[in-house]
Amino acid sequence: MATKLQLSVYLLGVCLFSISFLVFVNATVSFVITDIIHQRKDIGDTAGTLGFADELLALVACPFWGLLSDRIGFRLVAGIGYAIIAASLFILVQVTNVYPQLLLARLLFSLGASCASTMVTAILPSMVPKTPSTAGQQPSIDSRNQSPVRGPHDSRHAHLAGFVGLFTGVGALLALGGFLPIPNQLQRAGVTPEKALADTYYIVAATAIIVAVACYCGFGGAATTSSIRSDPTSVRSVAQRVSNTFSYIPTVLKLGVTEPSLGLGFLASFVARSSSVGTSLFIPLYVNASLCDNPAHGVEDVKAHCRKAYVIAAQFSGVSQVFALAFAPIFGYFPLRHRHFNIPLIVATLSGTVGYILFARMNTSKLSPPLLAVVSLLGISQIGSIVHSLSLVSSFVTERRPTKQAGTNDAVADDDDHEETTRLLNRNKEAVEAHEHLKGTIAGVYGFAGSLAILILTKLGGVLFDRLGPEAPFYLLCIFNLGLLFAVVACGIFQSPFDCSMSKSSIVTLLSSIRLTPHLPPHSWYIVSSVTLSVLNRPDEIPHIFQYALEKDGGSTQKQLDIARRLREALVKSAAIAGLPKSINALYALKRVTPHALLDEPLGYSPTGRSVELYDVPSSKIMQRGQAFFDQIYGKVSKRVMGQMDQSGTEDLGITARLMYGYILSNTNVLSPVESSFVLLAGLIPQDVRIRALHLPSHYTSSADDL
């Protein structure tokens, strides 16, 4: 868990200044060209070329910094990034020509800036506090073979991501209101423009050094370093480590395709960064084209040729950023999911889709309330995509979801050798932990998606601006937002409601509430939960219930054995309700995490005694017991229910019911009649099957209603 110092350094250092330094350099690079190098021609073209080279390098640098943080930890990488920024700021005012000196200095700054932006995403998962139920938990006899249950990270990540969006916005304001006025203030004191600009760069470089030291010192602690780096058992060669490190990239790209939440995070990063370019670059150009007879092709030319256009464009950008800042915490505290769909991301993409279409069709020659309302939609869209792209990626990194084992969904089981089971479990544990090991690489790919968006929009949008009209880039941005909207809706449609709820809330919290349900038969909460999950075809979640039951109710070995047997018996009886294939999958998923000492081997002791009943007890006696149990379950309507099955068109339905009740459900050697009734309830309710007045003792009726 991150300390208050680490969280403060992250928000006030990494997040605040990652954007602040970038805004400062982008806003002053033209003055470096004119006041330091003394070039008076082609300023816009030179600045555009430098910006393009910056983003081109960022495409490679972002994944590189992410990979490096996975190897040596983000503490050192963050410090290195801001140290590079400090060095580049000092060098930028020492250059004497554009090519190659200014270009190389700008590329050096791009290297540091891409590191800072990547670390914003890479550090976020480590800053989210762990849930109380899982933090500091010691492994029990069986939990050593299984990863801890995932907690309710989604809302926590969204909350912190909202503050990240807020502080990055404040960082941009810091650059505009804090750093940029310094040259004017120095000139008023009698300093020449050239020296004033150089001194300003020195002040900002000193600030970057302070941030670098703060990152290195403030992020101290084992929780902030790479677990791969600290592994004392690793003896691989340097070449092999490098090879394995670069293999992370295709792994992350594959996860982006197979895992909807991660893929949406990358796509939202693409849309968010393209929206930022649309606000800062194409709005001034569009306004200029509306007001001036001879449209300019660069922001600096807009300032020179049409002062009114520059003022209106600045007002538009200001309104957009104000709404972005205001909505950052709102998006952060808005629920990440609402049953099926990611509502906040839908709101953000709808705002962008509608906003860009309306803005492209409105008269921007003068300010008006409807126009300002449309511009506010652009800011809302931008910050919504930023906050929830960060939240989706961060929550995916720390989400401890079980990976499906071979055979989980097959009715045919694998070899039951205990050593093979242990090997499979260990492999599963590594798969779960791999997401945290990949957090830097995931952050790098996240940054790559954003840089790719900037390159595509600046070049393709510029071409469309010149050839099709000044409104064309906004239609392109509308298409980007519409594509993200379709992706979000598609994920909501094709992902089951149960999956959404499982990723939203902690299984531990859910089990705790079921365990404490009043009037529920003692030690039956895990029976009800497991049968429900088996019926919902989620056998991969049943091992977590078994883990939690052993931790809470399994003090001694005998108690653990009782829990294992009761859980297995409940899943066997659920076959009568949900079908044999689901019971097979559930039982083998349970077996993979069950210690060998808690298994009942074939031809050994049978706690249910069914093998004896099958071969040594007269079938008439078993049928009588089954009929008695059926009468007990259905009460006074039992004869009518059985008669309806006998008259269903085939008497075989009644015979099937008598066999299941006789040999399966009426066996009460492990589960009591009331517990068996709750097995029936837990199996029927998720299937939305009409329950025919099951008869329960009065003091259990309220518990049945709660189910």
Side-chain angles (χ1 to χ4, degrees):
M1 178 177 177
T3 64
K4 292 182 179 179
L5 174 61
Q6 292 167 352
L7 187 59
S8 299
V9 171
Y10 174 62
L11 292 175
L12 298 176
V14 177
C15 297
L16 188 69
F17 289 99
S18 64
I19 189 68
S20 183
F21 295 142
L22 186 61
V23 170
F24 171 76
V25 171
N26 286 338
T28 58
V29 67
S30 61
F31 296 101
V32 172
I33 297 172
T34 57
D35 296 345
I36 302 297
I37 302 178
H38 304 293
Q39 176 178 314
R40 301 299 177 184
K41 296 188 302 181
D42 300 326
I43 299 174
D45 180 64
T46 301
T49 301
L50 293 174
F52 181 79
D54 183 313
E55 292 301 329
L56 200 61
L57 178 61
L59 284 176
V60 181
C62 287
F64 167 77
W65 288 119
L67 288 168
L68 188 62
S69 69
D70 283 335
R71 302 307 300 174
I72 66 176
F74 61 74
R75 174 194 181 191
L76 185 58
V77 172
I80 292 174
Y82 281 103
I84 293 175
I85 290 176
S88 65
L89 289 171
F90 179 82
I91 296 173
L92 275 168
V93 290
Q94 311 301 320
V95 299
T96 58
N97 57 61
V98 174
Y99 304 108
Q101 293 183 11
L102 182 58
L103 176 61
L104 293 177
R106 181 59 190 264
L107 291 179
L108 182 64
F109 175 81
S110 174
L111 194 63
S114 61
C115 176
S117 62
T118 300
M119 289 304 101
V120 171
T121 310
I123 298 174
L124 177 59
S126 299
M127 296 295 106
V128 178
K130 300 296 187 292
T131 57
S133 57
T134 58
Q137 204 174 51
Q138 296 297 324
S140 59
I141 180 175
D142 53 304
S143 63
R144 287 189 293 264
N145 291 330
Q146 187 76 10
S147 298
V149 180
R150 57 186 173 180
H153 292 291
D154 286 348
S155 61
R156 294 170 182 263
H157 284 271
H159 296 169
L160 186 54
F163 281 105
V164 170
L166 178 63
F167 275 89
T168 53
V170 172
L173 294 180
L174 174 63
L176 296 174
F179 293 152
L180 292 181
I182 295 178
N184 288 333
Q185 295 173 1
L186 292 177
Q187 290 180 43
R188 290 175 184 176
V191 180
T192 63
E194 180 177 351
K195 190 175 187 306
L197 183 62
D199 290 344
T200 302
Y201 266 75
Y202 297 149
I203 293 172
V204 179
T207 305
I209 292 175
I210 294 174
V211 176
V213 174
C215 288
Y216 185 79
C217 297
F219 285 141
T224 65
T225 57
S226 171
S227 57
I228 299 177
R229 175 176 174 257
S230 59
D231 183 5
T233 62
S234 180
V235 293
R236 293 172 297 181
S237 65
V238 174
Q240 186 177 0
R241 289 190 179 192
V242 172
S243 175
N244 290 341
T245 298
F246 282 99
S247 68
Y248 293 168
I249 293 180
T251 300
V252 170
L253 293 176
K254 182 179 179 181
L255 287 172
V257 175
T258 59
E259 297 291 342
S261 61
L262 186 62
L264 283 179
F266 291 156
L267 189 57
S269 171
F270 182 94
V271 174
R273 293 295 295 275
S274 62
S275 298
S276 66
V277 174
T279 302
S280 61
L281 177 62
F282 287 107
I283 284 182
L285 294 176
Y286 182 61
V287 174
N288 180 74
S290 301
L291 292 176
C292 303
D293 295 331
N294 186 20
H297 297 284
V299 176
E300 294 302 322
D301 293 330
V302 170
K303 295 179 185 179
H305 290 86
C306 192
R307 176 66 183 172
K308 183 180 178 181
Y310 173 70
V311 171
I312 293 178
Q315 290 174 335
F316 285 163
S317 299
V319 170
S320 175
Q321 292 306 312
V322 166
F323 273 87
L325 283 176
F327 274 80
I330 295 176
F331 275 111
Y333 277 86
F334 201 74
L336 185 65
R337 288 190 183 277
H338 180 73
R339 192 167 177 83
H340 290 62
F341 301 101
N342 190 318
I343 298 298
L345 208 50
I346 291 177
V347 171
T349 53
L350 278 176
S351 299
T353 302
V354 175
Y356 285 115
I357 289 179
L358 293 179
F359 187 82
R361 301 176 66 88
M362 297 182 74
N363 181 14
T364 59
S365 60
K366 60 180 180 178
L367 295 177
S368 63
L371 188 56
L372 293 178
V374 170
V375 172
S376 68
L377 290 178
L378 306 186
I380 293 172
S381 171
Q382 179 183 344
I383 198 63
S385 298
I386 291 173
V387 169
H388 281 282
S389 64
L390 286 170
S391 180
L392 285 167
V393 171
S394 179
S395 60
F396 174 82
V397 169
T398 57
E399 185 182 65
R400 295 175 179 258
R401 55 191 300 177
T403 55
K404 293 183 179 180
Q405 298 292 348
T408 297
N409 290 325
D410 299 325
V412 180
D414 297 328
D415 184 9
D416 60 354
D417 182 78
H418 178 61
E419 293 182 359
E420 177 68 11
T421 302
T422 303
R423 183 182 67 81
L424 289 171
L425 290 170
N426 289 335
R427 184 178 64 184
N428 183 49
K429 180 178 180 181
E430 292 173 359
V432 173
E433 295 295 332
H435 292 169
E436 293 189 358
H437 297 338
L438 293 171
K439 61 179 178 288
T441 308
I442 290 174
V445 175
Y446 175 91
F448 174 87
S451 298
L452 183 63
I454 292 176
L455 284 178
I456 291 176
L457 188 63
T458 51
K459 287 303 177 184
L460 181 58
V463 172
L464 295 176
F465 182 93
D466 292 333
R467 297 185 180 181
L468 299 182
E471 70 280 355
F474 299 103
Y475 288 120
L476 182 61
L477 285 166
C478 174
I479 293 174
F480 289 168
N481 279 272
L482 197 60
L484 178 58
L485 176 62
F486 285 155
V488 175
V489 173
C491 288
I493 292 174
F494 292 107
Q495 189 175 17
S496 69
F498 188 75
D499 286 342
C500 293
S501 62
M502 292 299 286
S503 62
K504 176 183 176 182
S505 62
S506 169
I507 297 177
V508 173
T509 304
L510 177 62
L511 295 182
S512 297
S513 64
I514 296 176
R515 181 171 174 265
L516 300 176
T517 300
H519 308 302
L520 198 64
H523 307 295
S524 62
W525 61 270
Y526 52 85
I527 294 173
V528 171
S529 304
S530 298
V531 170
T532 301
L533 287 169
S534 177
V535 172
L536 290 170
N537 199 28
R538 289 302 301 267
D540 51 319
E541 304 290 352
I542 293 176
H544 294 312
I545 297 179
F546 181 56
Q547 308 271 338
Y548 192 72
L550 291 183
E551 178 188 345
K552 296 298 181 181
D553 298 338
S556 63
T557 303
Q558 183 58 46
K559 288 183 178 180
Q560 293 180 356
L561 182 60
D562 291 341
I563 290 173
R565 286 173 172 172
R566 288 162 55 80
L567 196 53
R568 287 194 292 264
E569 175 67 359
L571 294 174
V572 167
K573 287 189 172 183
S574 70
I577 302 299
L580 192 59
K582 289 183 178 179
S583 292
I584 292 174
N585 292 334
L587 285 166
Y588 273 101
L590 176 62
K591 180 182 178 182
R592 292 189 180 95
V593 297
T594 303
H596 190 69
L598 304 185
L599 295 173
D600 292 319
E601 297 296 339
L603 304 180
Y605 170 73
S606 173
T608 62
R610 282 197 180 91
S611 58
V612 176
E613 292 178 349
L614 182 62
Y615 298 108
D616 299 335
V617 178
S619 59
S620 59
K621 185 176 181 179
I622 301 298
M623 292 297 102
Q624 290 176 1
R625 185 186 69 184
Q627 185 63 52
F629 184 72
F630 185 87
D631 294 341
Q632 183 180 0
I633 290 292
Y634 286 94
K636 61 183 179 180
V637 299
S638 61
K639 291 184 179 180
R640 177 164 59 87
V641 173
M642 185 61 75
Q644 289 175 345
M645 287 191 286
D646 288 336
Q647 298 175 13
S648 62
T650 172
E651 63 180 6
D652 291 344
L653 179 59
I655 293 175
T656 300
R658 290 180 177 89
L659 288 172
M660 286 192 301
Y661 272 86
Y663 283 97
I664 304 298
L665 297 176
S666 67
N667 187 309
T668 57
N669 292 333
V670 175
L671 296 181
S672 68
V674 172
E675 291 170 337
S676 298
S677 300
F678 273 90
V679 168
L680 296 176
L681 283 170
L684 290 171
I685 292 175
Q687 300 180 83
D688 197 23
V689 176
R690 181 184 176 188
I691 302 175
R692 291 183 173 272
L694 298 186
H695 180 71
L696 291 172
S698 59
H699 58 286
Y700 289 133
T701 304
S702 60
S703 296
D705 293 338
D706 292 338
L707 293 178

